[in-house]
Amino acid sequence: MNQNRMPLVEAITQYQKRNPIRYHVPGHKGRGEGLLASLYPFDLTEVPGLDDLHHPEEAIREAQQLAAEAFGAEETFFLIGGSTVGNLAMLLAACHPGDEVLVQRNAHKSVMNGLILAQAKPIYLQPEVDPITGLPVTVSLQELKIQLQKHPEAKAVFLTNPNYYGMGMNLRPYAELCEEYGIPLLVDEAHGAHLGLIQGLPGSAMQAGASAAVQSTHKMLPSLTMSSMLHVKGPRLNRERLRKALTMVQSSSPSYPLMASLDHARHYVLHVGQQELRQSLRLSAQLKDGLAHMAFSWLEVVEGKEHYDYLDPLKVTLRTHSHELHGFALREWLEQQGVFPELADEHHVLLTLSPKTTDDELKRTLSIINQLERTQLAGSNQAVHYRPLSSPLILSPYEVFQRASSSVPLQAAVGEISAEMITPYPPGIPLVAPGERLELEMLEYIQELQRMGCRFHGVEDTTLKTLKIIKNDED
Amino acid sequence: MNQNRMPLVEAITQYQKRNPIRYHVPGHKGRGEGLLASLYPFDLTEVPGLDDLHHPEEAIREAQQLAAEAFGAEETFFLIGGSTVGNLAMLLAACHPGDEVLVQRNAHKSVMNGLILAQAKPIYLQPEVDPITGLPVTVSLQELKIQLQKHPEAKAVFLTNPNYYGMGMNLRPYAELCEEYGIPLLVDEAHGAHLGLIQGLPGSAMQAGASAAVQSTHKMLPSLTMSSMLHVKGPRLNRERLRKALTMVQSSSPSYPLMASLDHARHYVLHVGQQELRQSLRLSAQLKDGLAHMAFSWLEVVEGKEHYDYLDPLKVTLRTHSHELHGFALREWLEQQGVFPELADEHHVLLTLSPKTTDDELKRTLSIINQLERTQLAGSNQAVHYRPLSSPLILSPYEVFQRASSSVPLQAAVGEISAEMITPYPPGIPLVAPGERLELEMLEYIQELQRMGCRFHGVEDTTLKTLKIIKNDED
């Protein structure tokens, strides 16, 4: 295929060249004032020559085929609803109501929502916890083996890889294991759109043999926010159901700038992006060197000690375990200096580089960090030793969504069914999932984690004075 | 409230002014080449100060509150997945599995998909057919009364108003009727974002007392494609379920340009847009005047003859009933001259004006149409007298989605359950909905319509040699 072309970008340019009088939507007719003034001319709709995302036959079809070739897929779908819709569609395609599916417990909330819409019954796979950082990483192969043996009827395996911090596993043995059971390996690869594109980067899910992988192209490559790709390979995931599901959850008025930015990003990574990706690896190494000179530490792979196969070099995680510095305080200080990290937790500040990160930015960053008087930024830094507890799943996420809930004091929740996800940070692994029974031991552990300084996500009342439980039918 | 402000546009501008070093997503870091080069700086994510669509507390919350005030709602939700996600969320919020809901039969496909996701059981409301044009319009109040009496357990009424061609009903009596039954009136007002904004335009669903209305802001007002608003008023639609449903079907990485364009569009319609909207009404009148001089006809309200209350003045529908001209041929000819209509059918070509349509464009259009040698554009133009037939609903759309289907020759489909929607154009009202039984009379009528030149949408095989039916469990 001719990877020098950008079929969709070209089609939009062609339409513009005709200087059309527009009696079609959108209402701005290609003109507008303010912030987005220069964008309006390219914000088009399904006029002749611009194809149709939901029935692609021309430019969009070609652009998707070029993307499939570039990213090693049999078929690629452009997503204009973010990786969210990719996760929803994979689950809707793989599961019929009541089907069991093996799902990494700390999956993105869109995966939980996909379980609701598909009415699937999750069998949660407990992720490993990296003992050095306390961060959750991918499920071990051993855990997957055990759960597949226990649940031979499961219709799919759903993993998240790499994690937010760039820790990942080589998925090849996982894909082979799924193939033994004849079920698809579905991967939320939101953080890995750049994987496998040049030497020096870890491989991608497609390269490892996954059946389907969703990549947030916008996260690590230069496409627009909310534009993602769903790559598919092999016969394990029903393509007809997948197409139907994508049509269900994606807009019937898809954004052309978002789609064009995917076409552009694919072209980019095969051309100028190759060089810029290599430069980003050099910049990442320089950043770490500079930090080392300032006696800063960052996350690195220590042979034989880690629970993951690779660390994405474009994710640089500053560690603040020196008891001088609090992750949140460091982030705030950096932001005051004009350096905006991706995220912070108690112990870490994550800097996400991309092929678009520049040499100049890197130098400015190092010179800013060099000014840091660390003692000004004290904060609590008690390590939390998280231990997973398990509660029985009484209702599926779908059943929880359909049932009424009420808030009760934490003490009164013993024996009740949780209507919410209770996720302590760190490490960000749900302790209680919706539909699980709140047993006394679990509630005591929640209070213990709270005393140790954990924050809780996913809950309506973040103080945890009250919890949301499923109302009894008699109430 | 201070309607002079644009909280989200301002927040984005503020962030830009700080000249941030971006170690967060998106991967383009505000820089890029090509078509979208000027947009990248504004394509941001949930950094401090830019709020969070899924938990709005700052700029997005304020922008939504300003929009609610401007459009007469109690609460407004910005949609970045188009009106599609608004329709899905209204149905997910209003219906529990198995619930009956009264739905206009020729609803948008996103409404049908919402019925699947919500597992609701549709009771179809047959729309009126305008005898002059053969186009389907809103359901009559009488039909709604009858169906509400027959289905007192229905949980909501879902109407589409106005239709694509701008024909609409005053919804006040419909809203009052729903209020008598204590159920929400939900309105797909995709084509009516501009309604009620100035004198001379028909009123909006919110003004008429609907519980919720989805507007494609991008269609008739100058926001970006895929940006819409969901307006809500009163206690009939459960807001907690609505919020949950919106979070389920919308991206967790929402596009800031799309959201900012909604903030901008709201500001626009209250300021410079007032004048531009008034000008668009003048241009519409000029266009019709000019057409009259060329002995062209267009759709107009004829007192006492029409099945609708109003015709949106910004929709100008050219009629080609003179047997000289075919709608599709006219569209093609116009496009060759650089005039791009919104749509065409056998008898009509729809031109959609907006406040951004200019005087100059209008003059060019009239001078182009004036060159038309009509006899060059012959085409078949046999009138189709559509009569609605009804088939019993055996399976709900949800049940159809979950069942396997197969293709059989049309003759072999007698007595089987349809797995697809069979919609003749004109008039675009589904003759058969998924889950309905294909009776002999229906199949004969389909063949008759086909002989009369109807095209069929919604079907996999548009020649109708084969139809998709539900597989029997025994197959």
Side-chain angles (χ1 to χ4, degrees):
Chain A
M1 297 181 75
N2 182 355
Q3 292 284 358
N4 289 322
R5 293 204 46 215
M6 290 191 274
L8 188 53
V9 171
E10 289 160 23
I12 291 174
T13 310
Q14 278 306 108
Y15 184 74
Q16 267 315 103
K17 275 196 188 144
R18 298 178 70 171
N19 189 25
I21 302 181
R22 299 185 181 190
Y23 289 107
H24 55 73
V25 298
H28 56 64
K29 309 292 179 190
R31 282 181 291 271
E33 47 294 305
L35 210 60
L36 307 164
S38 57
L39 177 66
Y40 294 113
F42 309 108
D43 184 53
L44 289 161
T45 191
E46 289 86 357
V47 287
L50 290 188
D51 209 358
D52 178 346
L53 177 66
H54 295 288
H55 299 281
E57 294 178 345
E58 305 164 285
I60 295 174
R61 181 191 163 103
E62 286 172 39
Q64 290 185 150
Q65 286 171 339
L66 287 165
E69 187 180 77
F71 291 93
E74 257 172 37
E75 191 170 4
T76 290
F77 298 89
F78 282 1
L79 306 179
I80 42 76
S83 293
T84 295
V85 295
N87 286 336
L88 298 181
M90 285 195 292
L91 286 164
L92 280 164
C95 307
H96 284 78
D99 279 351
E100 285 184 348
V101 53
L102 298 173
V103 178
Q104 187 165 329
R105 191 172 174 94
N106 59 332
H108 187 259
K109 63 185 171 192
S110 59
V111 178
M112 297 299 158
N113 289 328
L115 294 173
I116 293 175
L117 292 178
Q119 299 171 56
K121 189 183 165 207
I123 308 297
Y124 291 118
L125 301 168
Q126 201 68 38
E128 295 290 294
V129 174
D130 174 45
I132 297 174
T133 59
L135 294 169
V137 293
T138 306
V139 173
S140 71
L141 190 62
Q142 187 57 24
E143 162 79 353
L144 180 58
K145 271 187 191 152
I146 292 168
Q147 297 297 338
L148 276 169
Q149 276 163 10
K150 276 168 81 174
H151 302 277
E153 296 300 306
K155 292 297 187 294
V157 172
F158 200 111
L159 298 178
T160 306
N161 192 67
N163 72 5
Y164 215 136
Y165 298 83
M167 302 158 167
M169 298 301 281
N170 169 16
L171 292 180
R172 187 168 297 280
Y174 296 76
E176 286 166 0
L177 187 56
C178 290
E179 195 50 37
E180 277 176 37
Y181 282 81
I183 59 173
L185 172 61
L186 312 176
V187 185
D188 178 352
E189 200 175 29
H191 299 288
H194 59 307
L195 296 186
L197 290 175
I198 59 164
Q199 280 227 338
L201 286 175
S204 69
M206 277 293 111
Q207 289 167 342
S211 298
V214 177
Q215 293 183 329
S216 291
T217 318
H218 63 90
K219 282 193 167 74
M220 298 301 287
L221 296 176
S223 76
L224 292 175
T225 299
M226 213 158 82
S227 65
S228 293
M229 294 190 199
L230 171 57
H231 304 299
V232 191
K233 198 153 70 176
R236 295 280 168 236
L237 188 61
N238 183 321
R239 301 274 176 100
E240 192 191 334
R241 283 178 68 87
L242 186 65
R243 266 176 240 283
K244 271 193 203 168
L246 283 170
T247 294
M248 283 170 69
V249 293
Q250 293 213 96
S251 173
S252 60
S253 301
S255 164
Y256 275 82
L258 291 187
M259 292 188 283
S261 80
L262 289 171
D263 194 23
H264 180 268
R266 183 269 318 156
H267 183 268
Y268 168 85
V269 298
L270 296 183
H271 297 88
V272 58
Q274 288 284 310
Q275 186 188 324
E276 294 193 358
L277 274 162
R278 282 191 290 271
Q279 148 138 323
S280 68
L281 295 187
R282 280 195 298 274
L283 291 180
S284 164
Q286 277 176 34
L287 179 57
K288 291 168 187 168
D289 269 2
L291 291 169
H293 279 104
M294 292 182 263
F296 239 102
S297 79
W298 65 92
L299 206 61
E300 49 188 338
V301 181
V302 187
E303 284 300 323
K305 280 204 175 172
E306 68 291 339
H307 285 65
Y308 45 91
D309 288 337
Y310 66 77
L311 248 184
D312 178 355
L314 296 191
K315 301 284 182 94
V316 178
T317 302
L318 304 177
R319 298 189 64 195
T320 61
H321 63 142
S322 59
H323 289 269
E324 287 172 13
L325 204 57
H326 192 287
F328 298 107
L330 177 57
R331 176 175 67 180
E332 206 182 314
W333 184 85
L334 285 170
E335 285 175 355
Q336 283 160 4
Q337 317 306 313
V339 177
F340 287 76
E342 174 66 25
L343 65 76
D345 65 30
E346 214 81 10
H347 305 271
H348 305 99
V349 171
L350 172 61
L351 304 180
T352 298
L353 281 70
S354 93
K356 288 293 178 187
T357 303
T358 67
D359 192 45
D360 173 63
E361 285 181 326
L362 203 91
K363 285 190 183 122
R364 279 164 61 202
T365 306
L366 282 170
S367 117
I368 285 166
I369 294 179
N370 204 23
Q371 297 161 26
L372 183 66
E373 293 176 42
R374 298 195 201 179
T375 48
Q376 293 178 343
L377 299 167
S380 84
N381 211 346
Q382 195 178 2
V384 173
H385 297 287
Y386 172 83
R387 62 179 195 278
L389 289 179
S390 70
S391 300
L393 186 75
I394 311 298
L395 298 175
S396 75
Y398 161 72
E399 291 164 319
V400 172
F401 176 73
Q402 295 299 349
R403 295 278 290 270
S405 62
S406 58
S407 288
V408 296
L410 186 133
Q411 287 75 10
V414 180
E416 301 288 349
I417 299 170
S418 179
E420 57 192 350
M421 178 97 82
I422 308 177
T423 305
Y425 272 79
I429 303 169
L431 201 61
V432 179
E436 289 181 345
R437 172 111 43 218
L438 292 160
E439 289 172 346
L440 183 61
E441 187 194 9
M442 184 64 83
L443 293 169
E444 286 172 350
Y445 185 45
I446 287 172
Q447 290 176 300
E448 185 189 331
L449 286 169
Q450 206 173 19
R451 280 192 297 275
M452 282 155 66
C454 271
R455 255 165 270 253
F456 287 83
H457 289 206
V459 286
E460 196 172 80
D461 173 8
T462 53
T463 70
L464 291 194
K465 284 186 190 120
T466 62
L467 292 176
K468 286 189 82 180
I469 59 160
I470 296 294
K471 267 193 187 160
N472 288 319
D473 287 338
E474 305 87 54
D475 289 0
Chain B
M1 297 181 76
N2 183 356
Q3 292 283 358
N4 289 320
R5 293 202 48 214
M6 289 191 273
L8 188 54
V9 171
E10 290 161 22
I12 291 173
T13 312
Q14 278 306 107
Y15 183 73
Q16 267 314 102
K17 276 197 186 144
R18 298 177 71 172
N19 189 23
I21 303 180
R22 299 185 180 191
Y23 289 106
H24 55 74
V25 297
H28 56 64
K29 309 291 181 192
R31 282 181 290 272
E33 48 294 306
L35 210 60
L36 306 164
S38 58
L39 177 67
Y40 294 112
F42 308 109
D43 185 54
L44 289 161
T45 189
E46 289 86 357
V47 288
L50 290 189
D51 209 359
D52 178 346
L53 178 66
H54 295 288
H55 300 281
E57 292 178 346
E58 305 164 286
I60 295 174
R61 180 191 163 102
E62 286 171 41
Q64 290 186 148
Q65 286 171 340
L66 287 165
E69 187 180 76
F71 291 92
E74 258 171 38
E75 192 170 3
T76 290
F77 298 89
F78 283 1
L79 307 179
I80 41 76
S83 292
T84 295
V85 295
N87 285 338
L88 298 181
M90 285 196 291
L91 286 164
L92 280 164
C95 307
H96 284 78
D99 280 351
E100 285 183 351
V101 53
L102 298 172
V103 178
Q104 187 166 330
R105 191 172 174 95
N106 59 332
H108 187 258
K109 64 185 171 192
S110 60
V111 177
M112 297 299 158
N113 289 328
L115 293 173
I116 294 175
L117 292 178
Q119 299 171 54
K121 188 183 165 207
I123 308 298
Y124 292 119
L125 301 169
Q126 200 68 38
E128 295 290 296
V129 174
D130 174 44
I132 298 175
T133 58
L135 294 168
V137 293
T138 305
V139 172
S140 72
L141 190 63
Q142 188 55 23
E143 162 80 352
L144 180 59
K145 271 187 191 153
I146 292 168
Q147 297 297 338
L148 276 169
Q149 276 164 10
K150 275 168 80 175
H151 302 279
E153 295 300 307
K155 291 298 187 295
V157 171
F158 199 111
L159 298 179
T160 306
N161 192 67
N163 72 5
Y164 215 138
Y165 296 84
M167 303 159 169
M169 298 301 281
N170 168 16
L171 292 179
R172 187 169 296 279
Y174 295 76
E176 286 166 0
L177 186 57
C178 290
E179 194 51 37
E180 277 176 37
Y181 282 82
I183 59 173
L185 172 62
L186 312 175
V187 184
D188 178 352
E189 200 175 30
H191 299 289
H194 59 307
L195 297 187
L197 290 176
I198 59 163
Q199 280 225 337
L201 286 175
S204 71
M206 278 291 111
Q207 290 167 340
S211 298
V214 177
Q215 294 182 327
S216 291
T217 317
H218 62 91
K219 282 194 167 76
M220 298 300 289
L221 296 176
S223 76
L224 292 174
T225 300
M226 213 159 81
S227 64
S228 294
M229 294 192 198
L230 171 57
H231 304 299
V232 191
K233 198 153 73 175
R236 295 280 169 235
L237 188 63
N238 185 321
R239 302 274 175 99
E240 193 191 333
R241 282 177 69 87
L242 187 65
R243 265 176 239 284
K244 270 193 204 170
L246 283 170
T247 294
M248 284 169 68
V249 292
Q250 294 213 97
S251 173
S252 60
S253 300
S255 163
Y256 275 82
L258 290 187
M259 293 188 283
S261 80
L262 289 171
D263 194 22
H264 179 270
R266 184 268 319 156
H267 183 270
Y268 168 85
V269 297
L270 296 182
H271 297 88
V272 59
Q274 288 284 311
Q275 188 188 324
E276 295 192 356
L277 274 163
R278 279 191 292 270
Q279 148 137 326
S280 68
L281 296 188
R282 279 195 298 274
L283 291 180
S284 164
Q286 277 176 32
L287 180 56
K288 290 169 189 167
D289 269 1
L291 291 170
H293 279 105
M294 290 180 265
F296 238 102
S297 80
W298 64 92
L299 206 61
E300 50 189 336
V301 181
V302 186
E303 283 301 321
K305 280 204 175 173
E306 68 290 339
H307 283 66
Y308 45 91
D309 288 337
Y310 65 77
L311 248 185
D312 178 356
L314 296 191
K315 302 285 182 89
V316 178
T317 302
L318 303 176
R319 299 188 65 196
T320 61
H321 62 143
S322 58
H323 288 268
E324 289 173 11
L325 204 57
H326 192 289
F328 298 108
L330 176 57
R331 177 174 67 179
E332 207 182 312
W333 183 84
L334 285 170
E335 285 175 355
Q336 284 161 1
Q337 318 305 313
V339 177
F340 287 76
E342 174 66 24
L343 64 76
D345 64 32
E346 215 82 8
H347 305 272
H348 305 100
V349 171
L350 172 61
L351 304 180
T352 298
L353 281 70
S354 93
K356 289 291 178 190
T357 302
T358 65
D359 193 44
D360 174 61
E361 285 181 326
L362 202 91
K363 285 190 184 121
R364 280 165 60 203
T365 305
L366 282 170
S367 116
I368 285 166
I369 294 180
N370 204 24
Q371 298 161 26
L372 182 64
E373 293 175 44
R374 296 196 201 180
T375 47
Q376 293 180 343
L377 298 166
S380 83
N381 211 348
Q382 193 178 3
V384 174
H385 296 287
Y386 172 83
R387 61 178 197 277
L389 289 180
S390 69
S391 299
L393 185 76
I394 310 297
L395 298 175
S396 75
Y398 162 72
E399 291 164 319
V400 172
F401 176 73
Q402 295 300 349
R403 295 278 290 272
S405 62
S406 58
S407 289
V408 296
L410 187 132
Q411 285 75 9
V414 181
E416 300 287 350
I417 299 169
S418 179
E420 57 191 349
M421 178 99 81
I422 308 176
T423 305
Y425 271 76
I429 303 169
L431 200 62
V432 180
E436 290 180 344
R437 173 112 42 217
L438 292 159
E439 291 171 345
L440 182 62
E441 186 193 9
M442 183 66 83
L443 292 169
E444 285 171 352
Y445 186 44
I446 287 172
Q447 291 175 300
E448 184 189 333
L449 285 169
Q450 206 173 18
R451 280 192 299 273
M452 284 155 65
C454 270
R455 253 164 270 252
F456 287 84
H457 290 207
V459 286
E460 197 172 80
D461 173 7
T462 53
T463 68
L464 293 194
K465 283 187 190 119
T466 62
L467 293 176
K468 286 190 80 180
I469 59 160
I470 297 294
K471 266 193 188 160
N472 289 319
D473 287 340
E474 304 88 54
D475 289 0

